[in-house]
């Protein structure tokens, strides 16, 4: 099958990157792991991501107005990243390793587009959104580093390529940059909309002083 002439230079330019991607994948991907290693990998790959929305919820309960706006900025960034990730996957379908018979797969996954990683796009966009607020930069750095085991585990289990994670990092940063103009009006407006509902739902613990109003 002949490739369209206008695509040939692009594919030639991408060939060294794909070779590096495959080499790194085969170096990280498990070849014969024990049951404990697979279990630990699955927990990191599929469950650790829930720590990030949990961080947002728990910090909302004790944050002032500025802190809540930082959290909402991070959420906006994460939502934008999910849209970007979906659009990239639709525009350029890159198969997962197991879909083309490379490496070993140790966790179930549909053969959807691999690039960029949705998990890490979400995680690193949330962190990049927090980074926009100086008071939250330490948390952003810690949470960003916490994303690294998730990235490693998804490669280890054979459902992602290493460059999917680089793409996720770029997607998260771009998403945060796109969300930056929302900081002046949209994010404070969201806070003012959400807070009355929050105060209604959490009226009792707020009265007890456990949560901030």
């Amino acid at each position: 099958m002949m490739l369209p002439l206008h695509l040939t230079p692009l594919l030639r330019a991408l060939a060294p990157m794909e070779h590096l991607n495959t080499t790194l994948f085969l170096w990280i991907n498990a070849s014969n792991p024990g049951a404990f290693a697979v279990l630990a990998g699955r927990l990191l790959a599929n469950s650790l991501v829930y720590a990030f929305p949990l961080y947002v919820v728990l910090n909302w309960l004790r944050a002032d107005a500025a802190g809540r706006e930082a959290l909402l900025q991070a959420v906006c960034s994460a939502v934008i990243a999910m849209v970007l990730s979906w659009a990239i996957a639709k525009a350029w379908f890159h198969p997962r390793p197991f879909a083309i018979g490379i490496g070993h797969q140790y966790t179930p996954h549909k053969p959807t587009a691999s690039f960029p990683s949705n998990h890490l796009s979400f995680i690193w966009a949330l962190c990049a959104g927090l980074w926009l607020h100086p008071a939250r930069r330490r948390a952003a750095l810690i949470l960003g580093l916490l994303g690294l085991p998730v990235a490693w585990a998804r490669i280890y289990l054979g459902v992602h390529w290493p460059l999917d994670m680089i793409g996720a990092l770029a997607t998260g940063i771009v998403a945060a940059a796109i969300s930056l103009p929302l900081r002046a009006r949209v994010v404070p407006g969201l806070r003012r909309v959400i807070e009355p509902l929050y105060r209604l739902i959490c009226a009792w613990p707020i009265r007890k002083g456990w949560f901030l109003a």
Side-chain angles (χ1 to χ4, degrees):
M1 178 179 176
M2 294 292 293
L3 292 169
L5 290 177
H6 70 282
L7 289 180
T8 303
L10 175 62
L11 293 175
R12 285 176 179 169
L14 290 176
M17 191 67 71
E18 287 292 350
H19 177 72
L20 175 62
N21 201 21
T22 302
T23 301
L24 290 174
F25 170 78
L26 293 174
W27 180 57
I28 299 171
N29 178 228
S31 58
N32 188 26
F36 177 78
V38 172
L39 177 60
R42 287 179 176 177
L43 288 173
L44 291 173
N46 302 318
S47 301
L48 189 55
V49 66
Y50 295 110
F52 296 84
L54 182 63
Y55 167 86
V56 172
V57 171
L58 293 180
N59 276 268
W60 176 279
L61 303 177
R62 302 300 300 173
D64 58 11
R68 287 174 179 172
E69 289 180 10
L71 295 170
L72 288 172
Q73 182 92 48
V75 171
C76 289
S77 177
V79 171
I80 293 170
M82 291 296 92
V83 175
L84 289 176
S85 181
W86 173 84
I88 293 168
K90 288 294 183 182
W92 181 57
F93 182 90
H94 192 281
R96 295 177 186 270
F98 63 84
I100 56 175
I102 294 179
H104 306 274
Q105 180 190 6
Y106 295 100
T107 190
H109 205 291
K110 294 180 180 179
T112 51
S114 73
F115 185 92
S117 166
N118 285 332
H119 281 72
L120 273 298
S121 293
F122 170 81
I123 288 171
W124 282 329
L126 193 79
C127 298
L130 287 174
W131 186 267
L132 297 177
H133 296 257
R136 293 280 171 168
R137 285 184 176 171
R138 181 180 179 186
L141 179 60
I142 293 171
L143 290 171
L145 292 174
L146 194 59
L148 293 176
V150 181
W152 169 84
R154 297 189 71 77
I155 301 167
Y156 181 79
L157 296 176
V159 296
H160 268 295
W161 303 95
L163 290 186
D164 296 342
M165 307 309 166
I166 304 299
L169 178 61
T171 301
I173 293 171
V174 170
I178 294 172
S179 79
L180 187 56
L182 306 179
R183 183 174 179 175
R185 293 186 179 181
V186 175
V187 171
L190 282 174
R191 177 182 59 80
R192 289 191 291 270
V193 169
I194 293 171
E195 280 186 336
L197 181 61
Y198 156 71
R199 289 171 184 145
L200 178 64
I201 294 172
C202 299
W204 184 72
I206 289 172
R207 283 199 302 271
K208 289 288 187 178
W210 298 341
F211 302 164
L212 289 182

